[in-house]
């Protein structure tokens, strides 16, 4: 194999890893992903509809623009109906380790990190409810998803700041059919 082949393989593995970062697919589900799993739904968006190999649970994942671009880059390269010409797991992991080294990443990389990144950095940190994340990951039990939901200080700060902005200037609250007004301050009465 020449250097050009190595570069092409690493580039493809990078794309496949990033595709999983934006879809939450496990490696085996990426490997088995077929064109027939890409469906258009009521919202005219493209969705991945699969039954996860590990659990058999259905997962419905709306495709964001970035993973769509990756799909288009490799579309038509497989004659067996698969979306991507995914190399074997060991080959992908070897390339991923090389890529990590090139990027200065000292922590050992695993393919599962892409799934974790989807759950935490892409979804939960951007306000996607945990129930939605659980469904997209194809988890049978939300407790499995809660492992990903460790709240970061940044997320906590952002959420409380958002809450503060929403309630900061509210002067009346609705309670049933009554309107309750905040009490005037002693300065306003005199």
């Amino acid at each position: 194999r020449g250097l050009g082949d190595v570069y092409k393989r690493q580039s493809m593995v990078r794309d496949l890893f990033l595709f999983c970062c934006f879809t939450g697919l496990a490696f085996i589900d990426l490997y088995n992903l077929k064109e027939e799993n890409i469906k258009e739904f009521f919202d005219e968006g493209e969705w991945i509809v699969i039954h996860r190999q590990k659990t058999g649970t259905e997962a419905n994942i709306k495709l964001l623009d970035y993973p769509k671009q990756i799909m288009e880059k490799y579309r038509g390269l497989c004659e067996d109906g698969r979306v991507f010409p995914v190399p074997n797991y060991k080959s992908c992991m070897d390339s991923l380790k090389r890529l990590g080294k090139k990027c200065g990443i000292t922590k050992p990389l695993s393919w599962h990190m892409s799934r974790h990144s989807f759950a935490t950095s892409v979804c939960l940190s951007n306000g996607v409810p945990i129930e939605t994340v659980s469904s997209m990951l194809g988890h049978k039990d939300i407790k499995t998803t809660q492992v990903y939901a460790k709240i970061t200080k940044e997320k906590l700060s952002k959420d409380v700041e958002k809450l503060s902005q929403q309630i900061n200037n509210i002067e009346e609250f609705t309670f049933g059919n009554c309107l309750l007004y905040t009490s005037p301050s002693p300065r306003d009465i005199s």
Side-chain angles (χ1 to χ4, degrees):
R1 257 178 8 182
L3 278 176
D5 291 337
V6 171
Y7 174 76
K8 282 181 189 174
R9 177 165 299 228
Q10 286 182 353
S11 179
M12 181 173 58
V13 168
R14 179 202 62 217
D15 289 344
L16 296 174
F17 186 80
L18 290 172
F19 183 85
C20 290
C21 286
F22 285 90
T23 61
L25 289 181
F27 181 85
I28 192 63
D29 296 323
L30 170 74
Y31 185 87
N32 291 328
L33 187 64
K34 296 197 175 232
E35 290 289 346
E36 66 193 41
N37 299 121
I38 310 302
K39 309 226 186 253
E40 193 172 295
F41 274 173
F42 64 93
D43 62 356
E44 297 181 15
E46 283 186 286
W47 291 70
I48 295 173
V49 180
I50 60 163
H51 283 85
R52 291 203 54 226
Q53 180 165 314
K54 181 177 178 181
T55 62
T57 306
E58 184 174 85
N60 296 298
I61 306 149
K62 185 169 183 176
L63 284 166
L64 302 170
D65 287 339
Y66 188 64
K68 281 187 203 176
Q69 291 169 15
I70 294 171
M71 276 178 40
E72 284 307 311
K73 183 176 179 179
Y74 296 96
R75 190 158 259 154
L77 294 181
C78 294
E79 294 178 11
D80 61 358
R82 290 186 304 134
V83 174
F84 298 108
V86 182
N88 68 56
Y89 183 75
K90 183 179 178 342
S91 177
C92 285
M93 288 310 300
D94 290 345
S95 292
L96 190 61
K97 286 176 185 172
R98 280 191 209 97
L99 287 165
K101 196 172 186 177
K102 280 183 182 177
C103 294
I105 299 170
T106 55
K107 185 176 182 176
L109 293 176
S110 71
W111 206 271
H112 186 73
M113 287 177 167
S114 65
R115 191 165 160 79
H116 192 274
S117 294
F118 173 73
T120 56
S121 300
V122 174
C123 292
L124 294 171
S125 292
N126 286 297
V128 176
I130 194 165
E131 297 85 358
T132 302
V133 176
S134 184
S135 175
M136 288 189 292
L137 292 174
H139 287 160
K140 287 182 175 181
D141 187 343
I142 200 160
K143 289 178 184 166
T144 307
T145 315
Q146 288 171 336
V147 170
Y148 297 102
K150 293 179 182 170
I151 296 176
T152 63
K153 288 181 181 173
E154 293 82 11
K155 171 82 169 105
L156 182 61
S157 175
K158 190 168 34 169
D159 289 349
V160 173
E161 183 59 33
K162 184 178 174 184
L163 174 64
S164 176
Q165 288 173 359
Q166 287 175 342
I167 66 170
N168 206 16
N169 296 320
I170 293 178
E171 302 218 348
E172 60 184 56
F173 298 90
T174 302
F175 185 79
N177 291 331
C178 292
L179 282 178
L180 301 176
Y181 295 92
T182 54
S183 303
S185 70
R187 282 178 284 161
D188 295 338
I189 296 174
S190 50

